[in-house]
């Protein structure tokens, strides 16, 4: 260090002599000023070097400083895959269920891509067929159902699949473990496809039926009755429920019974990235989502409920706002984030409404309850209903807890909640 100090001092003296000899020349006077400015800089550098050496000598020998563990990298991502691995590590789910969820996510990526390109890939319009409910099938209805079914078969952990587009549940021959029962609506709101409006997929995962035994597999009739057709379980038996929204972005929202989490698809890396951790629906909301075109065929109680939402005197001069897309996933997603209520009541023509209990009402109700909301038929908790048939329909009112309780109070002529 002494050598460095001596060299720095010698350098400063040399610069001083050079500047002095050239300062007499008026042509070089402008150069002398910046060079002269080096003198204090050299002195400061010398003093700083001495100080650093002194501090190093006085300081004890220490290990290299480690990076701050609490400092998060701007490139750190929590993907659906790592999230599922964390749940496995905690023991919340097993590897079999994680594989099923991953296969569903793969199906949703593929369907999202098809939806985005529907207008330029000749995928709009009708397929020329009707499903088991007598509804006209869009081309993407048929394709999405095939995509979902293929992904669930190939994962090897699915025993039974039940789809809105299939007449009966289907046994999966390719399974070798897990044998979960997966129910799904492959493309909800497909009537909006041609108009470019939000659509989505809904799914739920159940344990295999306890009545289905290995020895039944040798008897096709017994397998059909005990294993395939017996997928009708109450919503409170769901292991996992979720939906995927195909809109300005592709968002996968799901629950495994411990809160609700949302993942947005990053098309650059092809992964669902955690974007909505631990979603909580507001206790109250100011938005209702009903198809009021059916108003005249509703019950008097249902009409009275809708009328009350429009009554300014009941809501401090500000009535509720009406928002209705016509896609369950789109309307529900907004309700989940902003609060309020979504409803599809029964009417004179369809006393039980039009939504299917097994793969629409139950999964959405589970998600809403896990987020702090509620799901009801107006008279009963949706998750407590055991379907009597695969395509059974039920009225659905789902959203903020207070809003659902208020609706129940009007339909049942009870006092309103506080």
């Amino acid at each position: 260090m002494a050598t460095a100090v001596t060299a720095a001092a010698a350098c400063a003296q040399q610069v001083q002599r050079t500047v002095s000899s050239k300062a007499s020349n008026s042509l070089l006077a402008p150069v002398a000023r910046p060079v002269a400015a080096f003198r204090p800089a050299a002195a400061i550098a010398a003093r700083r070097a001495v100080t650093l050496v002194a501090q190093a000598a006085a300081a004890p020998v220490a290990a290299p400083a480690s990076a701050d563990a609490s400092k998060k990298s701007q490139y750190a991502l929590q993907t659906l895959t790592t999230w599922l691995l964390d749940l496995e590590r905690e023991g919340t789910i097993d590897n079999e269920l994680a594989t099923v969820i991953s296969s569903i996510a793969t199906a949703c990526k593929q369907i999202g891509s098809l939806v985005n390109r529907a207008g330029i890939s000749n995928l709009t319009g009708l397929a020329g067929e009707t499903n088991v409910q007598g509804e006209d099938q869009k081309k993407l209805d048929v394709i999405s159902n095939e995509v979902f079914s293929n992904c669930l078969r190939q994962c090897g952990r699915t025993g039974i699949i039940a789809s809105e587009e299939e007449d009966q549940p289907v046994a999966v021959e390719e399974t070798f473990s897990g044998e979960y029962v997966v129910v799904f609506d492959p493309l909800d709101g497909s009537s909006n496809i041609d108009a470019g409006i939000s659509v989505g997929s809904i799914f739920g995962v159940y344990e295999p039926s306890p009545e289905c035994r290995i020895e039944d597999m040798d008897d096709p009739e017994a397998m059909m009755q005990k294993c395939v057709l017996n997928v009708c379980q109450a919503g409170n038996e769901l292991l996992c429920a979720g939906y995927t929204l195909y809109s300005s972005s592709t968002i996968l929202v799901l629950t495994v019974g411990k809160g609700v989490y949302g993942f947005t698809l990053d098309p650059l890396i092809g992964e669902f990235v955690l974007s909505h951790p631990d979603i909580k629906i507001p206790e109250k909301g100011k938005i209702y989502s009903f198809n009021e075109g059916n108003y005249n065929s509703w019950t008097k109680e249902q009409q009275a409920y809708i009328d009350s939402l429009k009554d300014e005197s009941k809501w401090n001069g500000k009535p509720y706002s009406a928002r209705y897309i016509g896609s369950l996933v789109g309307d529900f997603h907004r309700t989940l984030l902003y609060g309020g209520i979504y409803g599809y009541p029964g009417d004179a023509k369809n006393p039980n409404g039009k939504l299917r209990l097994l793969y629409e009402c139950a999964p959405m109700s589970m998600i809403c309850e896990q987020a702090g909301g509620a799901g009801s038929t107006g008279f009963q908790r949706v998750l407590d209903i055991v379907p009597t048939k695969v395509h059974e329909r039920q009225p659905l009112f789902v959203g903020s807890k207070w809003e659902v309780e208020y609706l129940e109070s009007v339909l049942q002529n009870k006092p309103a909640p506080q």
Side-chain angles (χ1 to χ4, degrees):
M1 187 62 210
T3 303
V5 173
T6 302
C11 179
Q13 293 173 359
Q14 179 63 31
V15 170
Q16 184 176 8
R17 287 194 300 270
T18 303
V19 172
S20 299
S21 63
K22 294 183 179 180
S24 58
N25 191 335
S26 59
L27 295 176
L28 296 179
V31 179
R33 286 192 296 271
V35 174
F38 182 76
R39 291 199 301 264
I44 292 172
R47 289 197 300 271
R48 186 172 297 167
V50 173
T51 302
L52 290 174
V53 171
Q55 290 176 347
V61 178
S66 59
D68 185 5
S70 63
K71 186 177 181 180
K72 186 177 180 181
S73 169
Q74 61 175 322
Y75 301 107
L77 295 176
Q78 173 79 326
T79 66
L80 176 62
T81 301
T82 57
W83 184 75
L84 291 173
L85 290 173
D86 288 342
L87 292 183
E88 282 188 62
R89 193 179 302 113
E90 297 168 3
T92 303
I93 63 174
D94 58 18
N95 178 262
E96 311 290 342
L97 182 55
T99 302
V100 172
I101 296 173
S102 294
S103 69
I104 292 174
T106 300
C108 292
K109 290 178 186 178
Q110 189 172 350
I111 294 172
S113 177
L114 292 170
V115 169
N116 290 336
R117 294 185 290 109
I120 58 176
S121 300
N122 194 30
L123 296 178
T124 57
L126 297 174
E129 302 175 2
T130 58
N131 61 19
V132 67
Q133 288 88 28
E135 300 166 336
D136 291 330
Q137 288 182 309
K138 295 283 188 178
K139 292 179 182 178
L140 272 179
D141 280 324
V142 178
I143 297 172
S144 299
N145 183 66
E146 186 173 351
V147 169
F148 238 99
S149 299
N150 287 342
C151 287
L152 290 171
R153 291 175 187 276
Q154 292 168 3
C155 78
R157 271 77 173 180
T158 308
I160 308 292
I161 57 177
S163 167
E164 179 189 15
E165 306 300 331
E166 301 284 352
D167 294 350
Q168 298 288 354
V170 178
V172 178
E173 298 179 359
E174 293 85 350
T175 187
F176 56 84
S177 64
E179 298 185 349
Y180 289 99
V181 175
V182 181
V183 297
F184 58 91
D185 181 351
L187 196 62
D188 171 75
S190 57
S191 60
N192 290 322
I193 280 288
D194 295 358
I197 299 174
S198 302
V199 294
S201 300
I202 308 171
F203 59 88
V205 182
Y206 290 93
E207 286 276 17
S209 171
E211 297 183 16
C212 180
R213 297 169 298 185
I214 296 178
E215 52 265 29
D216 294 327
M217 300 302 175
D218 297 329
D219 185 345
E221 184 175 348
M223 185 186 74
M224 179 62 68
Q225 293 297 325
K226 295 184 179 181
C227 303
V228 178
L229 297 182
N230 195 9
V231 301
C232 298
Q233 303 180 49
N236 53 30
E237 300 291 334
L238 279 165
L239 298 177
C240 170
Y243 64 85
T244 302
L245 175 70
Y246 311 114
S247 184
S248 57
S249 57
T250 299
I251 302 175
L252 172 65
V253 177
L254 78 159
T255 178
V256 293
K258 286 193 173 183
V260 179
Y261 294 82
F263 301 82
T264 301
L265 180 63
D266 184 344
L268 295 180
I269 62 174
E271 288 282 354
F272 280 107
V273 178
L274 181 63
S275 55
H276 299 73
D278 198 15
I279 299 173
K280 296 296 182 185
I281 188 171
E283 181 72 15
K284 293 184 178 182
K286 296 295 289 186
I287 298 175
Y288 71 95
S289 184
F290 288 71
N291 183 1
E292 293 190 74
N294 298 324
Y295 179 90
N296 289 334
S297 61
W298 288 341
T299 64
K300 292 181 179 179
E301 291 80 8
Q302 182 63 50
Q303 291 176 344
Y305 167 73
I306 292 296
D307 292 340
S308 72
L309 299 183
K310 303 175 183 179
D311 186 352
E312 296 181 0
S313 63
K314 293 180 66 67
W315 316 109
N316 298 321
K318 188 176 181 181
Y320 279 59
S321 297
R323 299 285 186 274
Y324 186 72
I325 300 173
S327 166
L328 172 58
V329 173
D331 284 312
F332 179 85
H333 187 68
R334 182 196 57 248
T335 302
L336 184 66
L337 298 182
Y338 298 160
I341 186 169
Y342 168 87
Y344 205 114
D347 53 40
K349 185 178 180 180
N350 302 289
N352 290 325
K354 296 184 69 175
L355 299 181
R356 268 66 55 161
L357 173 60
L358 192 63
Y359 38 80
E360 289 178 321
C361 300
M364 290 307 205
S365 294
M366 180 185 183
I367 294 169
C368 199
E369 288 196 8
Q370 285 293 317
S376 172
T377 65
F379 298 88
Q380 184 180 6
R381 179 178 178 239
V382 170
L383 294 183
D384 291 336
I385 303 175
V386 180
T388 57
K389 53 186 178 180
V390 176
H391 300 293
E392 179 178 331
R393 302 171 190 260
Q394 286 288 345
L396 175 65
F397 303 98
V398 64
S400 299
K401 189 173 183 179
W402 188 93
E403 303 297 340
V404 174
E405 291 177 350
Y406 174 64
L407 174 134
E408 290 177 331
S409 71
V410 177
L411 297 187
Q412 301 176 33
N413 295 312
K414 294 181 178 179
Q418 299 298 318

